[in-house]
Amino acid sequence: MTKRVVWGALFGALTMLATGCGDECVDQFDCRDKGTPPEGQAYICNADNKCELHTLTLPPEEDAGTEVDAGTEVDAGTEMDAGTDAGTEMDAGTDAGTEMDAGTDAGMNVAKGGACTASPDCMAGLRCEAATCQSLLIAVTGNDGGTRALVTAYDVPATITSLSASGVASAYPRFGPGGTQVAFVQGDVTAATAELAVRPVPLTAAEPTVLTTGGSARIRYMEWEPGNLIAWVRGNTGISTIAATGGMPAQATANGTFPDWAPNGTDYAYSAAGTGILVSTGGGAPAPLAGTPTTGEQPHYNRVTSQLLFLANPENETATFGTDVTPVLKLYSLPVTGGGTPALLAGKTSDAVTGGSVDSYIANPNWAPDGSWVAYVRAYYLNIAGAATLCGNTGTELCGDKPGNAIYLQRVNTTTGAAEGAPVLLANNATLPSFSPDGRLVAYVLGGQLNVQPIDPTTGAAAGTLITHPKDTYTVLTNEGDDYRPRWQPRQ
């Protein structure tokens, strides 16, 4: 069994690792509860999903001194704070009042609460609903002692709603087309008995409508908008779909994972071990996308351009974290029609240090809606004598100021899919970036808290007050990677 350090990007294309009720961990981050390990050792998550001590191979000191103390893993927001069940909704607080001033764009000049006829009338972060500009919603999976599918207004940190009933577990919320419905999994979300359910937006007191259960396998990696079909991965046995109005599920593929819908809501892409990226067009049988490596995974369509985003490891480079062998993934784009030669958007980095190097790989990519930017996570690690340790820990001082994770934005040529200019650092020690549908905000998770950062769409730099949703009741989860990436309500 092979586990990956940054779960979403490094999740095996067919090897599905699920954290059961008796498992201690899914990656190194989950072992932080064990405290500081003895000198020269670190906790790892072994093949049985248990935390165990591992002796580090450390560089020799130039003065033949003692080895560096190995500390706990950097906080990437994967820890779950156990709290009391707060029911289905928290008290509504005051409006943070931080929506972006996008009045310089044509049409985007109506502030929150103002009258509108369509969403393009409203400022960034808002949508026209009931003829009024209102805050876009964000959906995440959190924990308050149990796993919860949650929805919150992006700019009102004190308001959050659990989609399942009080005490009922839920996860993986996904908005439907137009943002008028939200789907999620409820019940025992790690079992085949879990239910795929839908609720209307704005949220009402009505019971969720159950569409189906997992049948013989757990529901994972669910995706919905922009079409009427909801897709999900059946454990490790392929991809199924069902209409949002109900009916019988259909088997789309016999294998593969990471499904993603094209802008037409009919075509889709996914990845399969040993094959790479496959695409189904016009309801036809899926076929490998020409030019994609067999190591390709996590495909993402852009909603405007013809470019497909994906991760791959064509050189088959690996890093060994304890007993876990992790591929060194890089980020590429490629035209989804016809394929071709992939354009490298973010590759491996390597800096020599005493006894080894500080290296990095790419994880958790996401498009800006118009394809002009891509957000991704760069994970830095210390590599000494073939033994890798994430930066940011005690014992990785050779990493210097490099964090374990860093979110970057990279400008992309919307015609060619090639990178333009240098990447822009958005946040350190954060993960799972997600662009708002107007491209003016980036949501991400830092230390178990949902953060929303306004950006300058021209430079990619932070350009406004950071909005932080405190984890006073719910801790936002990240340990299942892209399955836990924040999802924005569509603006249309």
Side-chain angles (χ1 to χ4, degrees), residues 272-298:
T275 302
I277 308 298
L278 296 96
V279 174
S280 170
T281 303
L289 178 59
T292 54
T294 57
T295 56
E297 60 175 270
Q298 284 197 66

mmCIF file of all heavy atoms in Angstrom, residues 272-298:
data_model
loop_
_atom_site.group_PDB
_atom_site.id
_atom_site.type_symbol
_atom_site.label_atom_id
_atom_site.label_comp_id
_atom_site.label_asym_id
_atom_site.label_seq_id
_atom_site.Cartn_x
_atom_site.Cartn_y
_atom_site.Cartn_z
ATOM 1 N N ALA A 272 -6.609 7.387 -14.993
ATOM 2 C CA ALA A 272 -6.551 5.971 -14.638
ATOM 3 C C ALA A 272 -5.093 5.535 -14.569
ATOM 4 O O ALA A 272 -4.268 5.952 -15.388
ATOM 5 C CB ALA A 272 -7.300 5.116 -15.662
ATOM 6 N N ALA A 273 -4.788 4.706 -13.584
ATOM 7 C CA ALA A 273 -3.406 4.260 -13.371
ATOM 8 C C ALA A 273 -2.871 3.549 -14.604
ATOM 9 O O ALA A 273 -3.522 2.677 -15.189
ATOM 10 C CB ALA A 273 -3.343 3.330 -12.169
ATOM 11 N N GLY A 274 -1.667 3.947 -15.018
ATOM 12 C CA GLY A 274 -1.013 3.309 -16.140
ATOM 13 C C GLY A 274 -1.482 3.794 -17.493
ATOM 14 O O GLY A 274 -0.902 3.441 -18.519
ATOM 15 N N THR A 275 -2.533 4.624 -17.518
ATOM 16 C CA THR A 275 -3.064 5.154 -18.771
ATOM 17 C C THR A 275 -2.927 6.659 -18.844
ATOM 18 O O THR A 275 -2.608 7.222 -19.889
ATOM 19 C CB THR A 275 -4.546 4.765 -18.947
ATOM 20 O OG1 THR A 275 -4.674 3.347 -18.907
ATOM 21 C CG2 THR A 275 -5.093 5.287 -20.273
ATOM 22 N N GLY A 276 -3.159 7.340 -17.710
ATOM 23 C CA GLY A 276 -3.079 8.786 -17.671
ATOM 24 C C GLY A 276 -4.435 9.427 -17.802
ATOM 25 O O GLY A 276 -5.417 8.963 -17.218
ATOM 26 N N ILE A 277 -4.544 10.496 -18.598
ATOM 27 C CA ILE A 277 -5.774 11.262 -18.733
ATOM 28 C C ILE A 277 -6.611 10.706 -19.878
ATOM 29 O O ILE A 277 -6.121 10.542 -21.002
ATOM 30 C CB ILE A 277 -5.475 12.749 -18.998
ATOM 31 C CG1 ILE A 277 -4.497 13.295 -17.942
ATOM 32 C CG2 ILE A 277 -6.771 13.556 -19.019
ATOM 33 C CD1 ILE A 277 -5.007 13.254 -16.533
ATOM 34 N N LEU A 278 -7.891 10.447 -19.595
ATOM 35 C CA LEU A 278 -8.831 10.007 -20.615
ATOM 36 C C LEU A 278 -9.963 11.018 -20.713
ATOM 37 O O LEU A 278 -10.339 11.644 -19.724
ATOM 38 C CB LEU A 278 -9.406 8.627 -20.302
ATOM 39 C CG LEU A 278 -8.380 7.478 -20.280
ATOM 40 C CD1 LEU A 278 -7.933 7.210 -18.859
ATOM 41 C CD2 LEU A 278 -8.976 6.218 -20.898
ATOM 42 N N VAL A 279 -10.523 11.157 -21.914
ATOM 43 C CA VAL A 279 -11.582 12.132 -22.163
ATOM 44 C C VAL A 279 -12.722 11.455 -22.908
ATOM 45 O O VAL A 279 -12.496 10.686 -23.864
ATOM 46 C CB VAL A 279 -11.048 13.320 -22.993
ATOM 47 C CG1 VAL A 279 -12.174 14.266 -23.371
ATOM 48 C CG2 VAL A 279 -9.976 14.074 -22.207
ATOM 49 N N SER A 280 -13.945 11.728 -22.478
ATOM 50 C CA SER A 280 -15.148 11.312 -23.203
ATOM 51 C C SER A 280 -15.760 12.550 -23.837
ATOM 52 O O SER A 280 -16.043 13.532 -23.150
ATOM 53 C CB SER A 280 -16.154 10.658 -22.262
ATOM 54 O OG SER A 280 -17.403 10.460 -22.918
ATOM 55 N N THR A 281 -15.994 12.497 -25.150
ATOM 56 C CA THR A 281 -16.540 13.630 -25.889
ATOM 57 C C THR A 281 -17.862 13.236 -26.538
ATOM 58 O O THR A 281 -17.936 12.191 -27.212
ATOM 59 C CB THR A 281 -15.562 14.097 -26.980
ATOM 60 O OG1 THR A 281 -14.303 14.428 -26.365
ATOM 61 C CG2 THR A 281 -16.093 15.321 -27.709
ATOM 62 N N GLY A 282 -18.879 14.057 -26.321
ATOM 63 C CA GLY A 282 -20.167 13.827 -26.962
ATOM 64 C C GLY A 282 -20.809 12.507 -26.598
ATOM 65 O O GLY A 282 -21.535 11.922 -27.412
ATOM 66 N N GLY A 283 -20.547 12.022 -25.399
ATOM 67 C CA GLY A 283 -21.122 10.762 -24.961
ATOM 68 C C GLY A 283 -20.391 9.540 -25.463
ATOM 69 O O GLY A 283 -20.823 8.404 -25.216
ATOM 70 N N GLY A 284 -19.283 9.741 -26.157
ATOM 71 C CA GLY A 284 -18.530 8.620 -26.689
ATOM 72 C C GLY A 284 -17.682 7.918 -25.649
ATOM 73 O O GLY A 284 -17.528 8.377 -24.519
ATOM 74 N N ALA A 285 -17.105 6.794 -26.033
ATOM 75 C CA ALA A 285 -16.252 6.027 -25.125
ATOM 76 C C ALA A 285 -15.014 6.847 -24.781
ATOM 77 O O ALA A 285 -14.434 7.499 -25.649
ATOM 78 C CB ALA A 285 -15.847 4.708 -25.773
ATOM 79 N N PRO A 286 -14.591 6.826 -23.524
ATOM 80 C CA PRO A 286 -13.383 7.572 -23.137
ATOM 81 C C PRO A 286 -12.156 7.065 -23.888
ATOM 82 O O PRO A 286 -12.025 5.868 -24.148
ATOM 83 C CB PRO A 286 -13.266 7.310 -21.639
ATOM 84 C CG PRO A 286 -14.632 6.898 -21.205
ATOM 85 C CD PRO A 286 -15.221 6.167 -22.369
ATOM 86 N N ALA A 287 -11.264 7.998 -24.228
ATOM 87 C CA ALA A 287 -10.021 7.647 -24.915
ATOM 88 C C ALA A 287 -8.895 8.473 -24.330
ATOM 89 O O ALA A 287 -9.111 9.614 -23.895
ATOM 90 C CB ALA A 287 -10.147 7.899 -26.410
ATOM 91 N N PRO A 288 -7.664 7.940 -24.286
ATOM 92 C CA PRO A 288 -6.533 8.714 -23.773
ATOM 93 C C PRO A 288 -6.348 10.003 -24.566
ATOM 94 O O PRO A 288 -6.487 10.016 -25.789
ATOM 95 C CB PRO A 288 -5.345 7.766 -23.962
ATOM 96 C CG PRO A 288 -5.951 6.393 -23.978
ATOM 97 C CD PRO A 288 -7.281 6.567 -24.649
ATOM 98 N N LEU A 289 -6.049 11.088 -23.857
ATOM 99 C CA LEU A 289 -5.799 12.376 -24.502
ATOM 100 C C LEU A 289 -4.377 12.372 -25.049
ATOM 101 O O LEU A 289 -3.416 12.197 -24.300
ATOM 102 C CB LEU A 289 -5.992 13.515 -23.506
ATOM 103 C CG LEU A 289 -5.730 14.929 -24.024
ATOM 104 C CD1 LEU A 289 -6.634 15.259 -25.214
ATOM 105 C CD2 LEU A 289 -5.926 15.952 -22.910
ATOM 106 N N ALA A 290 -4.239 12.582 -26.340
ATOM 107 C CA ALA A 290 -2.933 12.524 -27.000
ATOM 108 C C ALA A 290 -1.966 13.511 -26.370
ATOM 109 O O ALA A 290 -2.287 14.681 -26.172
ATOM 110 C CB ALA A 290 -3.097 12.837 -28.486
ATOM 111 N N GLY A 291 -0.796 13.001 -26.030
ATOM 112 C CA GLY A 291 0.252 13.847 -25.459
ATOM 113 C C GLY A 291 0.352 13.793 -23.962
ATOM 114 O O GLY A 291 1.357 14.230 -23.391
ATOM 115 N N THR A 292 -0.670 13.274 -23.287
ATOM 116 C CA THR A 292 -0.584 13.222 -21.830
ATOM 117 C C THR A 292 0.228 12.009 -21.394
ATOM 118 O O THR A 292 0.075 10.917 -21.946
ATOM 119 C CB THR A 292 -1.976 13.144 -21.180
ATOM 120 O OG1 THR A 292 -2.717 12.042 -21.733
ATOM 121 C CG2 THR A 292 -2.746 14.423 -21.406
ATOM 122 N N PRO A 293 1.105 12.171 -20.404
ATOM 123 C CA PRO A 293 1.886 11.033 -19.922
ATOM 124 C C PRO A 293 0.980 9.998 -19.249
ATOM 125 O O PRO A 293 -0.118 10.316 -18.779
ATOM 126 C CB PRO A 293 2.837 11.667 -18.902
ATOM 127 C CG PRO A 293 2.762 13.136 -19.123
ATOM 128 C CD PRO A 293 1.430 13.420 -19.697
ATOM 129 N N THR A 294 1.459 8.783 -19.186
ATOM 130 C CA THR A 294 0.685 7.730 -18.511
ATOM 131 C C THR A 294 0.605 7.963 -17.011
ATOM 132 O O THR A 294 -0.201 7.328 -16.331
ATOM 133 C CB THR A 294 1.311 6.358 -18.773
ATOM 134 O OG1 THR A 294 2.679 6.368 -18.331
ATOM 135 C CG2 THR A 294 1.260 6.011 -20.253
ATOM 136 N N THR A 295 1.426 8.884 -16.484
ATOM 137 C CA THR A 295 1.369 9.229 -15.056
ATOM 138 C C THR A 295 0.418 10.386 -14.776
ATOM 139 O O THR A 295 0.309 10.827 -13.632
ATOM 140 C CB THR A 295 2.767 9.614 -14.544
ATOM 141 O OG1 THR A 295 3.273 10.693 -15.361
ATOM 142 C CG2 THR A 295 3.715 8.432 -14.610
ATOM 143 N N GLY A 296 -0.280 10.902 -15.800
ATOM 144 C CA GLY A 296 -1.153 12.052 -15.622
ATOM 145 C C GLY A 296 -2.302 11.766 -14.666
ATOM 146 O O GLY A 296 -2.868 10.669 -14.647
ATOM 147 N N GLU A 297 -2.662 12.767 -13.862
ATOM 148 C CA GLU A 297 -3.791 12.639 -12.944
ATOM 149 C C GLU A 297 -4.375 14.015 -12.635
ATOM 150 O O GLU A 297 -3.822 15.042 -12.988
ATOM 151 C CB GLU A 297 -3.371 11.945 -11.644
ATOM 152 C CG GLU A 297 -2.285 12.644 -10.851
ATOM 153 C CD GLU A 297 -2.018 11.950 -9.518
ATOM 154 O OE1 GLU A 297 -2.688 12.321 -8.530
ATOM 155 O OE2 GLU A 297 -1.162 11.053 -9.477
ATOM 156 N N GLN A 298 -5.534 14.001 -11.993
ATOM 157 C CA GLN A 298 -6.248 15.202 -11.589
ATOM 158 C C GLN A 298 -6.502 16.172 -12.746
ATOM 159 O O GLN A 298 -6.049 17.322 -12.706
ATOM 160 C CB GLN A 298 -5.510 15.940 -10.461
ATOM 161 C CG GLN A 298 -5.655 15.284 -9.124
ATOM 162 C CD GLN A 298 -5.288 16.204 -7.989
ATOM 163 O OE1 GLN A 298 -5.944 17.197 -7.741
ATOM 164 N NE2 GLN A 298 -4.227 15.863 -7.285
#
